[in-house]
Amino acid sequence: MARTNTAGARLRTAGGGANRWVVLVVLCVSLLLVALDSTVLHVAVPSLTEDLHPSSTALLWIVDAYPLICASLLILFGTLGDRVGRRRVLLLGYALFGLASAIAALATAPEVLIGARALLGVGGAMIMPATLSILRAVFPDRRERATAIGIWTATAAIGAATGPVLGGFLVEHFWWGSVFLVNIPLMVLMLPLGRLLLPESRGDADGPWDVLGALMAAAGVLGVVLGVKRLGAGDPPLALATLGPLLLGAGLLVLFVRRQRRRPYPLIDMRLFARPAFTTSVGCVVLAMLALVGLQLIAVQYLQLILGLSPVETGLRLLPLTFAAMAAGVTGSYTLRRLGPRRMVCWGFLLTAAAVLLLVLMGQHDRPLLLTVGFVLLGFGLQTTLFSAYESMLSEAPPESAGGAAAIGETSYQLGAGMGTALLGSVMNAAYAPGLSGVPGVPDGTAKAATNSLGEAYQVAARLGGAAGDALHHAARHAFVNGLHVTLFVSAGLLLAGALMALRLPRVMECPAVDPRLADAVDTRGGVAAGAGPAARTLPGPDGEPRTGGGAADAVRVPATRGRTEPAGSGTPSH
């Protein structure tokens, strides 16, 4: 493949000077929009319900279409980007995201809004893995890449936490469709900026792209996530609508794995999972989300329904969590070099577990200092865990598989979040419902209706009125707080299990030396060459003649915490 070292091309190459930090800004803004859209609609649900009058099923699909479609297509678009170009997929995702946002904002029927949310999911699936895989290509040096991933993960936390605050402000001052309009001017700006500033990169393009395998992965993940979400919504586990998607999705994923192992040019190199650090990192991401996402939804209900805060006030109460997550992301690279992946992930899990146990002290009355301290510890601990797990996972994957590795990481995040909502939601319901039995003056049928949720219990109590209504209201509050405490203990147990899992990660952050001259190897078509990763390079030899630098013979490992250099072939890394 022809290459060039011109100044103009050098600006567009991965690792080519300070421009890579500008690329990081563009990638983080992209991720911010996707993360923002995952939560911004939540506070607009009452307003759009009054306007569009959707059925309960349609309302569920309005909320869930975006995360369902996005999660199911991550592997498809992540691996497609490795083949056709990650920037190309990202720019298409920008365009689709902006178009879908306009359709959603102007929707006049529930079916139109569901379709628009599904299109947003497709756009999000194109954007999310592309940002992480481009980041992997732009930052070949692991130390700089760790800093970039810290900023990237902090941006995701900012977007998810800012969504309810921004959504609440827009709904209070405009109409529910305005929560989608904010995407359009940003996407109009991002399209030309992305085309101008982002480098094109791709992985190994040998062999045909496995279309059938990509569709199997998409359908499999969709089935599993759909079944898990139904469980989280309280549907019976053995119901056809719950068990059917779960079994079908799991079966398709098993067939997908078997197919990838047999193919000479697989979508995802399953040998990645033979690397303990990669597999453990994926498991840590799943376990962290399993323990905390469902808990976050319950905490929001606590702030609004027990403490009586408005949506905007609730978002402001959660800001300390966001600021702590930002601090953990920004300082994560330094901490990782000092502690190494094993201790960093372990301490992140332990700190998060301590924060969760501290929040057990929450009761029926507001304790702002306790909540602030708990949320700060929670945000810092969770972001420390996710940052180090993502960094270890991406560093274990070769550059040519960056898109597939990023898609695996994002899919594990989504699966963990879905399973966490189902698991902790079930624990919460199991602990909450018994507290409403035998309330004086409340018929059994009425009490059973109140067990669906705390909000519904308040409505039932208001309809009853009198002493019976007051008794039901008090019992529901007490039962919810008791259920929250039980859920917190279960979450802490999962986090402690995550700390044990992290013991399989490497002790030391090993940083392969990167020759700065490698940054000059770019595709003349405007992108990073497919073979421009650390595994195979063309370097000038001692006599000035080109020589091929490749693989283990030229790589060196530099443990960031020890300051010594050892050849890659001198032994296995310390775990």
Side-chain angles (χ1 to χ4, degrees):
M1 182 178 293
R3 299 192 178 179
T4 181
N5 288 332
T6 63
R10 189 178 294 115
L11 286 175
R12 292 171 60 88
T13 185
N19 190 56
R20 61 189 179 278
W21 299 104
V22 178
V23 171
L24 177 63
V25 171
V26 176
L27 296 178
C28 285
V29 173
S30 309
L31 180 66
L32 181 67
L33 288 173
V34 176
L36 191 71
D37 221 66
S38 65
T39 57
V40 72
L41 182 65
H42 292 170
V43 295
V45 167
S47 178
L48 72 87
T49 301
E50 292 180 5
D51 190 13
L52 300 183
H53 305 290
S55 65
S56 57
T57 302
L59 182 61
L60 185 65
W61 277 105
I62 289 172
V63 175
D64 286 345
Y66 175 79
L68 277 174
I69 299 300
C70 185
S72 64
L73 296 178
L74 286 168
I75 292 176
L76 189 153
F77 286 119
T79 56
L80 181 63
D82 285 343
R83 295 302 181 96
V84 304
R86 294 150 186 161
R87 185 187 66 163
R88 181 177 300 175
V89 172
L90 181 62
L91 294 179
L92 288 173
Y94 286 163
L96 187 58
F97 207 83
L99 175 63
S101 297
I103 296 173
L106 302 176
T108 56
E111 296 76 15
V112 176
L113 185 55
I114 292 171
R117 290 280 287 171
L119 283 178
L120 280 170
V122 177
M126 300 174 82
I127 294 171
M128 290 174 71
T131 60
L132 196 54
S133 54
I134 291 174
L135 185 151
R136 173 68 173 86
V138 171
F139 291 91
D141 181 77
R142 185 171 183 180
R143 283 172 287 259
E144 286 191 341
R145 185 166 65 245
T147 301
I149 292 176
I151 297 171
W152 184 88
T153 55
T155 301
I158 294 169
T162 306
V165 181
L166 178 62
F169 174 82
L170 291 173
V171 170
E172 285 183 6
H173 291 84
F174 302 100
W175 92 109
W176 62 264
S178 61
V179 302
F180 298 108
L181 284 181
V182 294
N183 296 332
I184 298 175
L186 287 173
M187 285 303 172
V188 170
L189 177 65
M190 292 299 293
L191 268 170
L193 280 180
R195 183 172 178 81
L196 177 67
L197 298 174
L198 294 180
E200 183 60 284
S201 66
R202 55 180 60 87
D204 186 358
D206 292 338
W209 185 57
D210 184 9
V211 179
L212 178 60
L215 294 176
M216 288 173 63
V221 173
L222 178 62
V224 171
V225 174
L226 180 59
V228 166
K229 280 189 170 290
R230 288 190 177 276
L231 282 175
D235 290 1
L238 298 180
L240 181 62
T242 303
L243 190 61
L246 274 175
L247 293 178
L248 180 61
L252 285 172
L253 290 178
V254 169
L255 292 175
F256 169 75
V257 171
R258 294 181 62 182
R259 178 181 177 85
Q260 298 309 298
R261 285 177 173 173
R262 292 195 306 265
R263 289 183 64 83
Y265 304 105
L267 282 176
I268 295 176
D269 188 354
M270 291 299 163
R271 290 174 297 181
L272 285 174
F273 291 96
R275 304 183 181 192
F278 184 86
T279 305
T280 303
S281 298
V282 171
C284 287
V285 171
V286 171
L287 203 51
M289 301 315 299
L290 182 68
L292 291 173
V293 165
L295 183 62
Q296 181 183 8
L297 297 176
I298 296 170
V300 169
Q301 294 180 54
Y302 170 81
L303 293 172
Q304 293 186 356
L305 298 178
I306 298 295
L307 301 186
L309 302 181
S310 69
V312 174
E313 290 172 331
T314 299
L316 292 175
R317 281 294 186 94
L318 293 172
L319 282 181
L321 188 152
T322 305
F323 292 142
M326 291 170 58
V330 171
T331 61
S333 177
Y334 173 80
T335 308
L336 183 60
R337 291 197 300 269
R338 299 289 297 175
L339 297 180
R342 180 185 300 180
R343 282 189 292 176
M344 186 169 179
V345 176
C346 278
W347 281 111
F349 271 121
L350 292 175
L351 182 61
T352 311
V356 168
L357 292 175
L358 177 65
L359 292 175
V360 171
L361 299 176
M362 291 188 302
Q364 297 192 32
H365 302 288
D366 193 4
R367 302 180 66 179
L369 181 60
L370 171 69
L371 291 176
T372 300
V373 173
F375 287 155
V376 166
L377 294 177
L378 187 66
F380 195 90
L382 175 62
Q383 196 64 24
T384 296
T385 301
L386 290 177
F387 158 75
S388 189
Y390 266 111
E391 197 282 333
S392 297
M393 177 191 67
L394 202 60
S395 295
E396 281 293 311
E400 62 270 16
S401 300
I408 291 172
E410 293 297 333
T411 303
S412 63
Y413 183 100
Q414 298 289 343
L415 287 176
M419 290 188 293
T421 303
L423 174 63
L424 295 187
S426 299
V427 171
M428 179 68 189
N429 291 336
Y432 166 72
L436 298 183
S437 61
V439 179
V442 179
D444 291 340
T446 303
K448 185 176 181 181
T451 61
N452 293 329
S453 68
L454 182 59
E456 192 164 344
Y458 283 173
Q459 294 175 3
V460 172
R463 288 197 298 267
L464 279 176
D470 291 340
L472 180 61
H473 189 278
H474 180 269
R477 286 173 58 90
H478 185 272
F480 184 89
V481 172
N482 178 67
L484 176 60
H485 291 166
V486 173
T487 307
L488 287 168
F489 280 118
V490 172
S491 178
L494 292 170
L495 293 166
L496 293 175
L500 292 176
M501 179 187 293
L503 295 176
R504 299 183 70 235
L505 289 171
R507 283 197 184 96
V508 177
M509 176 188 175
E510 293 178 345
C511 301
V514 178
D515 192 304
R517 291 170 294 182
L518 299 181
D520 293 336
V522 294
D523 191 333
T524 53
R525 291 171 296 182
V528 180
R537 304 290 190 177
T538 301
L539 298 175
D543 56 357
E545 293 297 320
R547 68 175 175 86
T548 299
D554 296 310
V556 291
R557 294 193 180 112
V558 184
T561 58
R562 296 185 182 179
R564 61 183 176 87
T565 303
E566 60 185 55
S570 63
T572 57
S574 174
H575 287 270

